[in-house]
Amino acid sequence: MSIKLYDGLRLTAHTPDLFELTRMISKRMREVFRELAVPIIARNIARVVDNAEVREREMGGPLHTYTVYRARKLWLDEQAGLDDRMTFHDPLRFSVVFGQVDDDYGTRRLAYPFAGNRAYTDALLVLEAGGHPIFVDYHYQNQADRPAEVSDEEWTHRRDDWNRLLDADDRETDGTLGHLPGWQLPDSIEAVFDAVLLGYKDATIDLNAHCTIEQRMRRALNRAVTPDLDLDEVNGISRVLTRNRRIERAIELYLSTADGAAMLRPEPLPDARDLGIAISELPPVYEPPAEAVARISELYREQVPAGG
């Protein structure tokens, strides 16, 4: 059986009892979730704020509520279009299972996290009890060379331990870790959107911290240049990505010139606390000067190989 347990962990002798460990994991993983979720929320709100259709719409309610609602719908619509089997579906999911192996070599308690973001596993590895780590690396894969810092004996123990927990011949486990006890993160990005809509005090999001003026300007320049180049998804995803990289390079070249450095930058986006202002007071979407767009188009074409 092919085994690839890249994130396998072992619990050290300093691990507290399971109830205290679960409490520690719950507290830290929910902190990590929020650190990861806020930029996603902010980027989606920024996309809505920068949308001309939203700015020009006559609103019947507070701008803050409508904007966050639109951002929430944008996120859910995109998630609905993803295949559950895709690894980037539900990017902030997290759960961890625990297992124990007893043999002549002693008792080893193992853990395996299932995470949509590596930050969760990294956070587990720095959890401490009494100044000592709780988790240490215990990964194993039988189709790769043993790491230099791991002895042959330990590598063999890792293989046997994970094989025993997986036990592909047992109908009950079916070669998975799903039968083991564990903990699952209950939070979701949708719930954070709801918290912002309800105005929870700890749900304030500073858009400026996650969507800089430069990013906003680059997005606008990209939008402005693309129609001029008459390129769209019909050309295929590979070509579209290549086009975007060339546009980014052209923008960098232009911004490094005297004219580019003198070009006006857009005003900062409002943060969530200010999204209740009148729609007419929203900072305008940045529109780069026509001459800048023309020059960037020239720089783009200079980078396109013959026949590209």
Side-chain angles (χ1 to χ4, degrees):
M1 179 173 64
S2 175
I3 301 177
K4 297 178 182 177
L5 297 158
Y6 301 114
D7 295 320
L9 304 172
R10 179 173 60 80
L11 283 73
T12 70
H14 305 285
T15 303
D17 65 68
L18 187 58
F19 294 103
E20 175 62 15
L21 176 61
T22 302
R23 185 193 69 79
M24 294 175 65
I25 290 175
S26 175
K27 180 177 184 297
R28 184 63 189 119
M29 294 305 103
R30 299 186 83 166
E31 291 172 349
V32 174
F33 168 81
R34 181 159 182 78
E35 293 165 6
L36 298 172
V38 166
I40 293 176
I41 303 293
R43 282 196 297 272
N44 279 279
I45 292 177
R47 288 167 65 186
V48 173
V49 171
D50 268 351
N51 187 301
E53 180 183 329
V54 174
R55 290 202 327 277
E56 294 167 4
R57 180 188 176 105
E58 289 188 7
M59 317 284 277
L63 176 61
H64 167 273
T65 301
Y66 180 74
T67 304
V68 178
Y69 173 79
R70 284 291 299 268
R72 177 180 180 275
K73 187 175 186 304
L74 179 67
W75 164 259
L76 292 176
D77 287 348
E78 289 179 345
Q79 287 294 294
L82 297 179
D83 189 323
D84 286 342
R85 295 167 296 178
M86 302 174 88
T87 57
F88 50 81
H89 183 77
D90 189 10
L92 300 189
R93 70 190 185 283
F94 174 80
S95 62
V96 58
V97 295
F98 303 98
Q100 181 168 304
V101 175
D102 297 289
D103 56 22
D104 294 340
Y105 297 100
T107 297
R108 290 170 300 287
R109 290 175 295 171
L110 310 184
Y112 199 86
F114 298 91
N117 192 295
R118 177 68 195 183
Y120 290 115
T121 304
D122 292 342
L124 286 178
L125 287 169
V126 298
L127 278 181
E128 293 185 343
H132 301 282
I134 294 176
F135 296 94
V136 293
D137 173 69
Y138 205 69
H139 82 278
Y140 177 79
Q141 48 182 326
N142 60 2
Q143 294 182 336
D145 294 334
R146 168 182 57 83
E149 67 275 11
V150 178
S151 68
D152 284 327
E153 184 180 19
E154 181 182 341
W155 196 241
T156 300
H157 284 166
R158 293 188 184 190
R159 179 200 64 197
D160 294 343
D161 288 349
W162 288 116
N163 269 330
R164 194 170 304 180
L165 288 182
L166 289 168
D167 196 358
D169 295 328
D170 186 338
R171 289 185 179 181
E172 200 172 310
T173 65
D174 194 29
T176 69
L177 301 173
H179 64 291
L180 298 174
W183 181 86
Q184 182 172 339
L185 180 73
D187 303 74
S188 68
I189 293 179
E190 183 178 2
V192 179
F193 270 119
D194 290 340
V196 176
L197 282 169
L198 293 171
Y200 292 165
K201 286 188 291 186
D202 64 346
T204 299
I205 295 175
D206 183 358
L207 297 185
N208 294 315
H210 304 289
C211 185
T212 66
I213 299 175
E214 181 182 7
Q215 289 173 325
R216 208 173 159 207
M217 179 187 68
R218 286 177 179 275
R219 199 163 57 239
L221 284 169
N222 198 321
R223 286 199 303 266
V225 174
T226 300
D228 186 51
L229 300 177
D230 194 27
L231 288 172
D232 54 37
E233 280 73 12
V234 174
N235 295 288
I237 187 64
S238 177
R239 189 175 177 189
V240 170
L241 292 174
T242 301
R243 172 210 66 191
N244 286 347
R245 286 193 292 271
R246 288 171 179 160
I247 290 176
E248 282 292 309
R249 176 59 182 155
I251 290 172
E252 289 174 8
L253 288 174
Y254 180 78
L255 293 178
S256 66
T257 66
D259 288 339
M263 192 166 59
L264 292 175
R265 267 49 172 180
E267 295 179 33
L269 288 168
D271 66 27
R273 289 165 296 186
D274 300 325
L275 282 176
I277 59 177
I279 195 165
S280 60
E281 296 178 36
L282 272 177
V285 171
Y286 180 78
E287 295 296 343
E291 60 272 17
V293 173
R295 180 57 184 139
I296 291 171
S297 298
E298 292 174 11
L299 290 169
Y300 167 86
R301 291 192 175 92
E302 289 172 8
Q303 296 180 75
V304 179

mmCIF file of all heavy atoms in Angstrom, residues 51-78:
data_model
loop_
_atom_site.group_PDB
_atom_site.id
_atom_site.type_symbol
_atom_site.label_atom_id
_atom_site.label_comp_id
_atom_site.label_asym_id
_atom_site.label_seq_id
_atom_site.Cartn_x
_atom_site.Cartn_y
_atom_site.Cartn_z
ATOM 1 N N ASN A 51 -16.528 47.640 -7.392
ATOM 2 C CA ASN A 51 -17.381 47.279 -8.514
ATOM 3 C C ASN A 51 -18.275 48.463 -8.876
ATOM 4 O O ASN A 51 -19.077 48.931 -8.067
ATOM 5 C CB ASN A 51 -18.239 46.052 -8.134
ATOM 6 C CG ASN A 51 -19.032 45.523 -9.310
ATOM 7 O OD1 ASN A 51 -19.826 46.242 -9.894
ATOM 8 N ND2 ASN A 51 -18.812 44.268 -9.640
ATOM 9 N N ALA A 52 -18.178 48.942 -10.108
ATOM 10 C CA ALA A 52 -18.921 50.134 -10.532
ATOM 11 C C ALA A 52 -20.431 49.928 -10.419
ATOM 12 O O ALA A 52 -21.170 50.838 -10.067
ATOM 13 C CB ALA A 52 -18.548 50.492 -11.968
ATOM 14 N N GLU A 53 -20.892 48.702 -10.692
ATOM 15 C CA GLU A 53 -22.329 48.428 -10.645
ATOM 16 C C GLU A 53 -22.868 48.629 -9.230
ATOM 17 O O GLU A 53 -23.964 49.164 -9.040
ATOM 18 C CB GLU A 53 -22.588 46.994 -11.091
ATOM 19 C CG GLU A 53 -24.057 46.598 -11.073
ATOM 20 C CD GLU A 53 -24.245 45.146 -11.461
ATOM 21 O OE1 GLU A 53 -23.433 44.639 -12.258
ATOM 22 O OE2 GLU A 53 -25.196 44.523 -10.959
ATOM 23 N N VAL A 54 -22.088 48.212 -8.233
ATOM 24 C CA VAL A 54 -22.505 48.386 -6.847
ATOM 25 C C VAL A 54 -22.494 49.857 -6.467
ATOM 26 O O VAL A 54 -23.406 50.370 -5.818
ATOM 27 C CB VAL A 54 -21.589 47.581 -5.899
ATOM 28 C CG1 VAL A 54 -21.934 47.879 -4.439
ATOM 29 C CG2 VAL A 54 -21.712 46.093 -6.185
ATOM 30 N N ARG A 55 -21.471 50.595 -6.893
ATOM 31 C CA ARG A 55 -21.353 52.005 -6.524
ATOM 32 C C ARG A 55 -22.514 52.827 -7.079
ATOM 33 O O ARG A 55 -22.975 53.778 -6.460
ATOM 34 C CB ARG A 55 -20.034 52.581 -7.067
ATOM 35 C CG ARG A 55 -18.797 52.060 -6.364
ATOM 36 C CD ARG A 55 -17.641 53.035 -6.557
ATOM 37 N NE ARG A 55 -17.657 53.715 -7.831
ATOM 38 C CZ ARG A 55 -17.182 53.215 -8.971
ATOM 39 N NH1 ARG A 55 -16.698 52.002 -8.997
ATOM 40 N NH2 ARG A 55 -17.209 53.920 -10.084
ATOM 41 N N GLU A 56 -22.968 52.467 -8.281
ATOM 42 C CA GLU A 56 -23.982 53.275 -8.937
ATOM 43 C C GLU A 56 -25.404 52.854 -8.567
ATOM 44 O O GLU A 56 -26.366 53.527 -8.898
ATOM 45 C CB GLU A 56 -23.790 53.175 -10.448
ATOM 46 C CG GLU A 56 -22.473 53.811 -10.913
ATOM 47 C CD GLU A 56 -22.142 53.445 -12.346
ATOM 48 O OE1 GLU A 56 -22.974 52.774 -12.988
ATOM 49 O OE2 GLU A 56 -21.053 53.826 -12.815
ATOM 50 N N ARG A 57 -25.536 51.729 -7.883
ATOM 51 C CA ARG A 57 -26.863 51.235 -7.544
ATOM 52 C C ARG A 57 -27.500 52.105 -6.448
ATOM 53 O O ARG A 57 -26.833 52.511 -5.504
ATOM 54 C CB ARG A 57 -26.744 49.792 -7.058
ATOM 55 C CG ARG A 57 -28.073 49.153 -6.656
ATOM 56 C CD ARG A 57 -27.774 47.799 -6.006
ATOM 57 N NE ARG A 57 -28.997 47.199 -5.517
ATOM 58 C CZ ARG A 57 -29.620 46.185 -6.096
ATOM 59 N NH1 ARG A 57 -29.130 45.687 -7.203
ATOM 60 N NH2 ARG A 57 -30.708 45.673 -5.577
ATOM 61 N N GLU A 58 -28.785 52.392 -6.575
ATOM 62 C CA GLU A 58 -29.470 53.119 -5.517
ATOM 63 C C GLU A 58 -29.798 52.144 -4.398
ATOM 64 O O GLU A 58 -30.464 51.136 -4.608
ATOM 65 C CB GLU A 58 -30.760 53.755 -6.062
ATOM 66 C CG GLU A 58 -30.484 54.913 -7.004
ATOM 67 C CD GLU A 58 -31.773 55.624 -7.363
ATOM 68 O OE1 GLU A 58 -32.812 55.282 -6.779
ATOM 69 O OE2 GLU A 58 -31.730 56.498 -8.225
ATOM 70 N N MET A 59 -29.325 52.443 -3.231
ATOM 71 C CA MET A 59 -29.431 51.519 -2.117
ATOM 72 C C MET A 59 -30.669 51.833 -1.274
ATOM 73 O O MET A 59 -30.996 52.976 -1.041
ATOM 74 C CB MET A 59 -28.186 51.650 -1.238
ATOM 75 C CG MET A 59 -26.890 51.757 -2.037
ATOM 76 S SD MET A 59 -26.430 50.171 -2.667
ATOM 77 C CE MET A 59 -25.633 49.588 -1.195
ATOM 78 N N GLY A 60 -31.316 50.760 -0.780
ATOM 79 C CA GLY A 60 -32.452 50.957 0.095
ATOM 80 C C GLY A 60 -32.090 50.809 1.554
ATOM 81 O O GLY A 60 -32.896 51.062 2.434
ATOM 82 N N GLY A 61 -30.840 50.369 1.836
ATOM 83 C CA GLY A 61 -30.411 50.158 3.219
ATOM 84 C C GLY A 61 -28.998 50.654 3.408
ATOM 85 O O GLY A 61 -28.404 51.250 2.506
ATOM 86 N N PRO A 62 -28.442 50.431 4.590
ATOM 87 C CA PRO A 62 -27.084 50.896 4.875
ATOM 88 C C PRO A 62 -26.078 50.288 3.901
ATOM 89 O O PRO A 62 -26.165 49.109 3.553
ATOM 90 C CB PRO A 62 -26.830 50.415 6.304
ATOM 91 C CG PRO A 62 -28.186 50.127 6.867
ATOM 92 C CD PRO A 62 -29.032 49.713 5.712
ATOM 93 N N LEU A 63 -25.126 51.084 3.463
ATOM 94 C CA LEU A 63 -24.114 50.611 2.528
ATOM 95 C C LEU A 63 -23.321 49.464 3.131
ATOM 96 O O LEU A 63 -22.996 48.491 2.460
ATOM 97 C CB LEU A 63 -23.175 51.762 2.165
ATOM 98 C CG LEU A 63 -22.001 51.379 1.264
ATOM 99 C CD1 LEU A 63 -22.502 50.852 -0.054
ATOM 100 C CD2 LEU A 63 -21.094 52.582 1.043
ATOM 101 N N HIS A 64 -23.012 49.564 4.416
ATOM 102 C CA HIS A 64 -22.222 48.528 5.076
ATOM 103 C C HIS A 64 -22.875 47.158 4.918
ATOM 104 O O HIS A 64 -22.263 46.197 4.467
ATOM 105 C CB HIS A 64 -22.064 48.863 6.554
ATOM 106 C CG HIS A 64 -21.535 47.726 7.375
ATOM 107 N ND1 HIS A 64 -22.357 46.770 7.937
ATOM 108 C CD2 HIS A 64 -20.276 47.372 7.704
ATOM 109 C CE1 HIS A 64 -21.627 45.879 8.590
ATOM 110 N NE2 HIS A 64 -20.358 46.230 8.467
ATOM 111 N N THR A 65 -24.162 47.043 5.236
ATOM 112 C CA THR A 65 -24.868 45.771 5.189
ATOM 113 C C THR A 65 -24.933 45.234 3.767
ATOM 114 O O THR A 65 -24.666 44.057 3.522
ATOM 115 C CB THR A 65 -26.291 45.930 5.752
ATOM 116 O OG1 THR A 65 -26.191 46.390 7.093
ATOM 117 C CG2 THR A 65 -27.046 44.616 5.720
ATOM 118 N N TYR A 66 -25.264 46.095 2.821
ATOM 119 C CA TYR A 66 -25.401 45.656 1.435
ATOM 120 C C TYR A 66 -24.062 45.182 0.877
ATOM 121 O O TYR A 66 -23.975 44.160 0.200
ATOM 122 C CB TYR A 66 -25.942 46.797 0.582
ATOM 123 C CG TYR A 66 -26.106 46.435 -0.875
ATOM 124 C CD1 TYR A 66 -27.154 45.610 -1.280
ATOM 125 C CD2 TYR A 66 -25.195 46.887 -1.818
ATOM 126 C CE1 TYR A 66 -27.290 45.247 -2.611
ATOM 127 C CE2 TYR A 66 -25.336 46.539 -3.149
ATOM 128 C CZ TYR A 66 -26.382 45.717 -3.547
ATOM 129 O OH TYR A 66 -26.511 45.366 -4.860
ATOM 130 N N THR A 67 -23.001 45.926 1.170
ATOM 131 C CA THR A 67 -21.683 45.582 0.652
ATOM 132 C C THR A 67 -21.216 44.244 1.194
ATOM 133 O O THR A 67 -20.731 43.388 0.447
ATOM 134 C CB THR A 67 -20.653 46.673 1.016
ATOM 135 O OG1 THR A 67 -21.113 47.930 0.520
ATOM 136 C CG2 THR A 67 -19.305 46.371 0.415
ATOM 137 N N VAL A 68 -21.351 44.045 2.493
ATOM 138 C CA VAL A 68 -20.922 42.780 3.090
ATOM 139 C C VAL A 68 -21.797 41.629 2.588
ATOM 140 O O VAL A 68 -21.310 40.523 2.330
ATOM 141 C CB VAL A 68 -20.962 42.859 4.632
ATOM 142 C CG1 VAL A 68 -20.572 41.522 5.248
ATOM 143 C CG2 VAL A 68 -20.007 43.946 5.121
ATOM 144 N N TYR A 69 -23.095 41.884 2.432
ATOM 145 C CA TYR A 69 -23.988 40.845 1.908
ATOM 146 C C TYR A 69 -23.554 40.425 0.506
ATOM 147 O O TYR A 69 -23.510 39.228 0.180
ATOM 148 C CB TYR A 69 -25.430 41.350 1.881
ATOM 149 C CG TYR A 69 -26.371 40.395 1.187
ATOM 150 C CD1 TYR A 69 -26.855 39.264 1.839
ATOM 151 C CD2 TYR A 69 -26.744 40.614 -0.140
ATOM 152 C CE1 TYR A 69 -27.699 38.368 1.197
ATOM 153 C CE2 TYR A 69 -27.581 39.725 -0.796
ATOM 154 C CZ TYR A 69 -28.058 38.605 -0.121
ATOM 155 O OH TYR A 69 -28.871 37.724 -0.773
ATOM 156 N N ARG A 70 -23.236 41.409 -0.342
ATOM 157 C CA ARG A 70 -22.782 41.091 -1.702
ATOM 158 C C ARG A 70 -21.474 40.300 -1.669
ATOM 159 O O ARG A 70 -21.280 39.365 -2.453
ATOM 160 C CB ARG A 70 -22.591 42.378 -2.500
ATOM 161 C CG ARG A 70 -23.875 43.033 -2.989
ATOM 162 C CD ARG A 70 -24.548 42.191 -4.071
ATOM 163 N NE ARG A 70 -23.687 42.043 -5.242
ATOM 164 C CZ ARG A 70 -23.699 42.854 -6.290
ATOM 165 N NH1 ARG A 70 -24.551 43.868 -6.324
ATOM 166 N NH2 ARG A 70 -22.895 42.656 -7.306
ATOM 167 N N ALA A 71 -20.551 40.695 -0.782
ATOM 168 C CA ALA A 71 -19.272 39.983 -0.670
ATOM 169 C C ALA A 71 -19.506 38.544 -0.197
ATOM 170 O O ALA A 71 -18.858 37.609 -0.670
ATOM 171 C CB ALA A 71 -18.347 40.720 0.295
ATOM 172 N N ARG A 72 -20.425 38.374 0.734
ATOM 173 C CA ARG A 72 -20.758 37.040 1.241
ATOM 174 C C ARG A 72 -21.325 36.173 0.127
ATOM 175 O O ARG A 72 -20.944 35.000 -0.024
ATOM 176 C CB ARG A 72 -21.778 37.170 2.377
ATOM 177 C CG ARG A 72 -22.288 35.861 2.963
ATOM 178 C CD ARG A 72 -23.291 36.187 4.064
ATOM 179 N NE ARG A 72 -23.833 34.999 4.700
ATOM 180 C CZ ARG A 72 -24.865 34.311 4.246
ATOM 181 N NH1 ARG A 72 -25.469 34.709 3.120
ATOM 182 N NH2 ARG A 72 -25.304 33.244 4.882
ATOM 183 N N LYS A 73 -22.232 36.732 -0.668
ATOM 184 C CA LYS A 73 -22.821 35.983 -1.781
ATOM 185 C C LYS A 73 -21.759 35.639 -2.824
ATOM 186 O O LYS A 73 -21.756 34.539 -3.392
ATOM 187 C CB LYS A 73 -23.943 36.793 -2.425
ATOM 188 C CG LYS A 73 -24.725 36.015 -3.484
ATOM 189 C CD LYS A 73 -25.896 36.818 -4.007
ATOM 190 C CE LYS A 73 -26.746 35.963 -4.960
ATOM 191 N NZ LYS A 73 -25.996 35.403 -6.076
ATOM 192 N N LEU A 74 -20.843 36.565 -3.074
ATOM 193 C CA LEU A 74 -19.760 36.333 -4.025
ATOM 194 C C LEU A 74 -18.936 35.126 -3.591
ATOM 195 O O LEU A 74 -18.627 34.236 -4.397
ATOM 196 C CB LEU A 74 -18.876 37.580 -4.109
ATOM 197 C CG LEU A 74 -17.672 37.528 -5.045
ATOM 198 C CD1 LEU A 74 -18.127 37.437 -6.484
ATOM 199 C CD2 LEU A 74 -16.794 38.750 -4.844
ATOM 200 N N TRP A 75 -18.602 35.074 -2.300
ATOM 201 C CA TRP A 75 -17.818 33.967 -1.761
ATOM 202 C C TRP A 75 -18.578 32.649 -1.883
ATOM 203 O O TRP A 75 -18.024 31.641 -2.344
ATOM 204 C CB TRP A 75 -17.463 34.235 -0.300
ATOM 205 C CG TRP A 75 -16.985 33.015 0.444
ATOM 206 C CD1 TRP A 75 -17.712 32.250 1.298
ATOM 207 C CD2 TRP A 75 -15.698 32.414 0.357
ATOM 208 N NE1 TRP A 75 -16.943 31.206 1.770
ATOM 209 C CE2 TRP A 75 -15.712 31.278 1.207
ATOM 210 C CE3 TRP A 75 -14.536 32.719 -0.349
ATOM 211 C CZ2 TRP A 75 -14.601 30.467 1.368
ATOM 212 C CZ3 TRP A 75 -13.433 31.888 -0.180
ATOM 213 C CH2 TRP A 75 -13.473 30.787 0.664
ATOM 214 N N LEU A 76 -19.849 32.627 -1.474
ATOM 215 C CA LEU A 76 -20.630 31.395 -1.489
ATOM 216 C C LEU A 76 -20.856 30.897 -2.911
ATOM 217 O O LEU A 76 -20.826 29.694 -3.168
ATOM 218 C CB LEU A 76 -21.968 31.619 -0.786
ATOM 219 C CG LEU A 76 -21.886 31.856 0.724
ATOM 220 C CD1 LEU A 76 -23.269 32.153 1.289
ATOM 221 C CD2 LEU A 76 -21.283 30.651 1.429
ATOM 222 N N ASP A 77 -21.088 31.823 -3.853
ATOM 223 C CA ASP A 77 -21.283 31.423 -5.249
ATOM 224 C C ASP A 77 -20.027 30.760 -5.798
ATOM 225 O O ASP A 77 -20.097 29.765 -6.542
ATOM 226 C CB ASP A 77 -21.650 32.641 -6.108
ATOM 227 C CG ASP A 77 -23.066 33.111 -5.863
ATOM 228 O OD1 ASP A 77 -23.832 32.371 -5.203
ATOM 229 O OD2 ASP A 77 -23.406 34.217 -6.309
ATOM 230 N N GLU A 78 -18.868 31.305 -5.450
ATOM 231 C CA GLU A 78 -17.615 30.730 -5.942
ATOM 232 C C GLU A 78 -17.376 29.354 -5.312
ATOM 233 O O GLU A 78 -16.931 28.424 -5.977
ATOM 234 C CB GLU A 78 -16.452 31.666 -5.638
ATOM 235 C CG GLU A 78 -16.475 32.927 -6.493
ATOM 236 C CD GLU A 78 -15.327 33.863 -6.165
ATOM 237 O OE1 GLU A 78 -14.684 33.675 -5.109
ATOM 238 O OE2 GLU A 78 -15.076 34.782 -6.968
#
